[in-house]
Amino acid sequence: MFSLRMPLSFDSWRESARVLLARGVPPEQIVWIDSNQDALFEDLSDFPGQTRFGLRISRFFIQRARLVACHRSDDRWALLYRLAFRLTHDDPHLMQLRTDPDVRRFELMGASVSRDRHKMTAFVRFRRSSIDGVDWYVAWYRPDHFVVRLAADHFRDRYSIMNWSILTPDESVHWDGQQLRFTEGIPTPLKTEKDEVESLWRTYYRSIFNPARIKTSAMRREMPVRFWDHLPEADLIHGLLKEAPSRTRQMIRHSERTDL
Amino acid sequence: MPSVLYKLQILADAAKYDASCASSGAKRSGNCKGVGHTTGTGICHSYTPDGRCISLLKILLTNFCIYDCQYCVNRISSGTPRARFSIQEVVDLTLAFYKRNYIEGLFLSSGIIRSPDYTMEQLIGVARVLREEHFFGGYIHLKCVPGASPELQIRAGRYADRVSTNIELPTETDLKRLAPQKSIQDIHSAMSVIRQGIDVSQDRSYSGKSPPRFAPGGQSTQMIVGATPNSDAEVLQTADRLYKTYRLKRVYYSAFSPIPHGDARLPLSEPPLLREHRLYQADWLIRLYGFDVSELVNASFPDLDLRIDPKLAWALRHRDQFPIDLNRAPRELLLRVPGLGIRNVDRLIQIRRWKKIRLEDLSRLRCPLRKVRPWVVTADYNSEVFRLDRSDLIRRIVCPQQQLELFDTGSCGSGSPLTRS
Ligand code: SF4
């Protein structure tokens, strides 16, 4: 039994997996432990196998595996290795069997990571503040998975002329107009001052809502309640729903609609 | 001077009857002079309790209007409070919201002030300042004012990612009656100018150079349903014609709001949004599933069945075309199976190259088994398929609980209510 204790990133996993696969080490014999300690790679020379070279694995798998590696579940490295092993030793077409339990889980994990990355690009809310007289846009956000690095380029491309920081519990990212920098996480929201634009935004949110059409399940599905904390508009929802019936009745009463 | 806050309240309120919120279809990479880029897929930054997404700052430049369209809250004869933004105010709001990551961009429309040309010039003015003075790279959707000159429509298309001209009502007679100052010819010719603009911009054939951008997100329109007594057949035929003639990206259906007429076919207590939802489902079937309008609605069935989705309704009327063998049938036929969406159809096609499809594969793909089973043959034994001829089939497929849920599906009208059916 091997246990791999190291700071796991996709690249470090890939490095180790390459060696293990070449040796033909079966998935059941490896425990992957994500740890901040230095890499501890047990000596493989006792493993009684021959090293095989030139193992090939599909590009599709590697691309998706990068996403799956950002999933928060502990078994992701084991799942990736199991799939990589099956792909190289059993069935090169495995990824096409989309109802195979491993493949299915791989697909679902990848989908939730990419959804989470997308949600991050949607729900980050910057507040403008000033650092040494320079505008700096700061947001605190809590993603479900480890998606800060996946989403960073998006924010860089979009806000290239601004200075900004996105702080999350896992890791923070900053842009100063020149380069992206990653620093350690910030566990709780910062106490920043309200941005005056927020009241305009809240007014917009209130006005664009049509009280005659209530569909809260669609709202909750697309904008899960766990994200509401840091959305400046979310605390309006309760009140809007409460007054919706009376606003609708009023609209009927005041309806100037001539009969059509 | 009324404050920006006050104007925003009025001019957002007046814009909320437009169903479109899409920010997709256009790709623009970031530039180093201004904020903004578009990814091509669109991002919904928030959702309101009506289930619609907020992707764009959707406002009117002004809700003053010299026209008198009966279905519209901004018509000249309505007593609604009025306001007008300056070009700069809209530009500032857009940039301020965009920099805080509230929005993907701007959807700007307007009541008609002075003349269609004057109004159109104002709308273009906002887009021009955003693009040329602030190098704004975010999404811009401009409403085309019918009757404005073709040169102006073309200029709008140069700045915008999407343009739309509303068809408003399903037939010309309706338009004449309810919106006497509007003409169907003006609406059609605006659509055709935009279509030509888009066609030219996509044509790389003879110069080799790519032509200047022109509304890369395409054009769309909106049709109000329930304001006039049209059948769903009339609504969908009009939509189909528009898709084909002007190659629209989307037709949006908007249940007459704020207070739609109770649909005569439904008890008053049931929400009228259901009809809108069924129209969107039918629209998807026509655009993406290979259905012809006449298969869904025709002289014998002029209206969609409100109780069940249009694909299931079609299948129930065409039981002789089932069961369909999931291991053999071509893609076009698989798309006709109730409960199978495009994504799962494509997955099944991929899987069956390597192994036989069984019922358990369907449940692993999270297909609604209850709905799919009666229509398909799989490699294993499927007892439900022998019930195809039974008159209670529909009750076996749709349980009463599910029917309730139907009133609360789909988001933002532009979502994909059919992805899982
Ligand atoms: S022209 Fe537009 S804003 Fe004016 S009344 Fe008609 S629909 Fe309303």
Side-chain angles (χ1 to χ4, degrees):
Chain A
M1 186 66 103
F2 298 94
S3 52
L4 265 66
R5 197 178 283 282
M6 56 176 165
L8 284 171
S9 66
F10 181 73
D11 291 328
S12 68
W13 172 86
R14 193 181 180 181
E15 280 304 304
S16 329
R18 194 176 282 146
V19 178
L20 294 163
L21 287 171
R23 282 287 180 140
V25 183
E28 313 78 70
Q29 299 210 16
I30 310 172
V31 193
W32 300 84
I33 300 166
D34 198 350
S35 133
N36 284 331
Q37 292 156 28
D38 284 343
L40 180 83
F41 207 127
E42 285 173 31
D43 189 5
L44 276 177
S45 54
D46 340 328
F47 193 79
Q50 290 220 327
T51 305
R52 273 171 63 194
F53 295 101
L55 284 177
R56 300 192 59 84
I57 207 157
S58 74
R59 178 129 43 100
F60 171 80
F61 174 77
I62 295 295
Q63 275 167 359
R64 298 300 288 179
R66 267 183 206 287
L67 284 184
V68 173
C70 300
H71 199 277
R72 205 173 282 278
S73 78
D74 289 333
D75 69 342
R76 62 192 186 283
W77 307 112
L79 174 74
L80 290 181
Y81 187 76
R82 200 159 58 240
L83 279 168
F85 188 88
R86 292 177 63 195
L87 277 166
T88 46
H89 291 75
D90 281 348
D91 183 359
H93 301 299
L94 179 63
M95 296 316 290
Q96 317 257 351
L97 300 180
R98 303 178 79 158
T99 48
D100 174 276
D102 281 344
V103 176
R104 186 77 188 136
R105 180 151 162 74
F106 177 81
E107 199 176 312
L108 290 176
M109 280 167 77
S112 37
V113 170
S114 76
R115 180 179 147 98
D116 194 44
R117 178 198 167 276
H118 184 82
K119 290 296 178 202
M120 179 165 171
T121 64
F123 297 147
V124 157
R125 295 283 185 269
F126 288 115
R127 280 182 165 172
R128 188 170 66 179
S129 53
S130 165
I131 297 180
D132 302 331
V134 178
D135 278 354
W136 207 284
Y137 288 81
V138 181
W140 186 87
Y141 184 77
R142 190 204 302 274
D144 289 343
H145 302 293
F146 303 108
V147 293
V148 172
R149 278 169 200 258
L150 290 179
D153 289 356
H154 170 89
F155 290 101
R156 182 202 55 207
D157 293 348
R158 174 157 293 199
Y159 300 118
S160 60
I161 61 158
M162 288 159 40
N163 303 307
W164 52 262
S165 298
I166 303 173
L167 318 170
T168 86
D170 306 308
E171 173 170 48
S172 303
V173 55
H174 316 268
W175 171 257
D176 57 5
Q178 305 291 323
Q179 60 169 338
L180 287 173
R181 269 185 315 116
F182 295 90
T183 59
E184 65 189 24
I186 306 284
T188 49
L190 296 187
K191 300 242 175 306
T192 42
E193 268 179 52
K194 268 218 165 89
D195 185 319
E196 80 280 8
V197 173
E198 274 172 22
S199 64
L200 286 168
W201 170 241
R202 287 162 59 89
T203 300
Y204 176 69
Y205 185 83
R206 210 180 299 124
S207 311
I208 203 72
F209 159 62
N210 185 348
R213 310 173 55 118
I214 302 281
K215 278 190 182 180
T216 52
S217 75
M219 171 184 69
R220 280 167 208 275
R221 189 179 55 239
E222 300 299 336
M223 188 167 78
V225 178
R226 63 181 182 281
F227 292 117
W228 290 15
D229 285 356
H230 53 266
L231 297 175
E233 67 273 21
D235 65 348
L236 294 168
I237 293 171
H238 184 69
L240 286 176
L241 281 171
K242 231 168 83 185
E243 64 189 38
S246 68
R247 270 176 75 191
T248 310
R249 274 196 304 276
Q250 216 176 6
M251 279 158 76
I252 302 179
R253 228 180 302 121
H254 290 203
S255 172
E256 302 162 31
R257 212 156 36 72
T258 42
D259 263 323
L260 297 165
Chain B
M1 259 307 259
S3 69
V4 170
L5 195 97
Y6 172 79
K7 295 186 196 176
L8 179 61
Q9 201 175 328
I10 290 183
L11 294 170
D13 192 275
K16 72 182 166 210
Y17 304 99
D18 220 306
S20 163
C21 64
S23 57
S24 54
K27 247 190 156 141
R28 182 186 293 103
S29 38
N31 63 63
C32 45
K33 291 190 269 179
V35 286
H37 81 316
T38 47
T39 58
T41 50
I43 300 176
C44 298
H45 285 273
S46 191
Y47 292 81
T48 42
D50 48 17
R52 287 180 161 173
C53 81
I54 299 183
S55 183
L56 303 173
L57 169 61
K58 181 160 61 179
I59 46 176
L60 301 189
L61 189 60
T62 176
N63 66 339
F64 285 103
C65 188
I66 54 174
Y67 284 12
D68 200 23
C69 311
Q70 291 300 298
Y71 47 82
C72 175
V73 54
N74 303 319
R75 68 188 184 280
I76 192 166
S77 59
S78 130
T80 196
R82 309 280 172 168
R84 178 175 176 179
F85 274 131
S86 70
I87 288 180
Q88 195 57 45
E89 282 167 339
V90 177
V91 168
D92 291 345
L93 260 181
T94 307
L95 292 173
F97 280 12
Y98 196 88
K99 286 180 175 174
R100 285 154 185 82
N101 206 40
Y102 300 160
I103 53 168
E104 283 300 286
L106 173 69
F107 176 5
L108 189 63
S109 176
S110 181
I112 315 271
I113 32 176
R114 289 196 223 166
S115 68
D117 272 356
Y118 176 79
T119 310
M120 200 67 225
E121 274 165 14
Q122 298 295 304
L123 296 181
I124 294 168
V126 172
R128 191 195 64 75
V129 174
L130 277 170
R131 291 276 195 248
E132 288 178 359
E133 292 177 18
H134 297 276
F135 305 99
F136 178 63
Y139 200 88
I140 298 181
H141 177 165
L142 291 181
K143 187 65 79 186
C144 254
V145 182
S149 71
E151 296 74 55
L152 291 173
Q153 321 271 25
I154 293 289
R155 276 183 62 204
R158 291 255 179 276
Y159 292 120
D161 294 287
R162 172 171 285 192
V163 283
S164 58
T165 318
N166 284 355
I167 188 80
E168 312 288 12
L169 297 165
T171 68
E172 184 175 2
T173 330
D174 299 330
L175 195 72
K176 279 213 175 102
R177 197 156 59 86
L178 299 186
Q181 291 107 323
K182 286 196 173 158
S183 97
I184 192 86
Q185 285 76 23
D186 284 349
I187 295 172
H188 284 165
S189 67
M191 288 178 173
S192 117
V193 169
I194 299 298
R195 182 193 157 165
Q196 283 164 24
I198 294 174
D199 286 354
V200 171
S201 78
Q202 289 171 347
D203 184 15
R204 248 143 256 202
S205 51
Y206 49 96
S207 66
K209 261 193 312 190
S210 44
R213 289 171 73 91
F214 191 94
Q219 68 169 324
S220 62
T221 193
Q222 170 164 302
M223 203 187 316
I224 300 166
V225 289
T228 46
N230 308 95
S231 66
D232 291 342
E234 285 173 292
V235 170
L236 289 170
Q237 277 152 7
T238 299
D240 191 46
R241 233 181 357 258
L242 295 176
Y243 278 127
K244 291 190 175 131
T245 318
Y246 305 109
R247 278 211 238 131
L248 299 190
K249 263 274 157 52
R250 288 297 302 272
V251 173
Y252 291 94
Y253 306 91
S254 173
F256 181 50
S257 196
I259 305 306
H261 284 297
D263 191 304
R265 293 165 299 157
L266 271 176
L268 275 173
S269 56
E270 287 184 20
L273 296 177
L274 189 52
R275 182 179 179 202
E276 182 191 284
H277 178 59
R278 294 283 177 242
L279 285 168
Y280 276 116
Q281 290 183 312
D283 185 278
W284 279 75
L285 291 178
I286 294 162
R287 280 185 302 130
L288 305 169
Y289 285 71
F291 279 85
D292 193 80
V293 179
S294 62
E295 292 182 280
L296 302 174
V297 278
N298 47 45
S300 344
F301 299 95
D303 290 305
L304 297 168
D305 190 331
L306 291 176
R307 294 164 308 155
I308 52 175
D309 74 76
K311 199 207 262 186
L312 180 57
W314 173 85
L316 285 164
R317 293 200 301 265
H318 296 88
R319 299 186 199 197
D320 53 316
Q321 306 197 14
F322 292 92
I324 283 174
D325 185 342
L326 291 186
N327 283 298
R328 282 198 201 127
R331 186 169 186 271
E332 317 77 273
L333 286 186
L334 294 182
L335 285 173
R336 296 201 162 221
V337 175
L340 283 189
I342 289 185
R343 282 227 229 134
N344 278 338
V345 162
D346 290 337
R347 287 188 181 123
L348 290 173
I349 290 174
Q350 199 177 27
I351 295 168
R352 74 185 186 186
R353 285 209 291 260
W354 309 100
K355 69 182 267 275
K356 289 260 171 260
I357 290 168
R358 310 169 69 84
L359 285 175
E360 62 180 23
D361 291 309
L362 293 177
S363 51
R364 292 223 181 102
L365 292 176
R366 299 199 194 148
C367 297
L369 263 193
R370 190 188 174 104
K371 197 169 182 185
V372 181
R373 273 184 76 164
W375 311 99
V376 297
V377 173
T378 48
D380 48 352
Y381 177 70
N382 173 12
S383 59
E384 280 296 311
V385 81
F386 298 110
R387 302 183 204 272
L388 255 181
D389 292 330
R390 288 174 52 152
S391 56
D392 64 347
L393 183 59
I394 179 168
R395 249 179 298 137
R396 303 184 62 88
I397 296 174
V398 191
C399 58
Q401 247 168 332
Q402 263 177 323
Q403 292 194 2
L404 276 182
E405 275 168 37
L406 291 174
F407 296 117
D408 204 12
T409 48
S411 64
C412 68
S414 62
S416 57
L418 272 191
T419 41
R420 271 186 297 140
S421 59

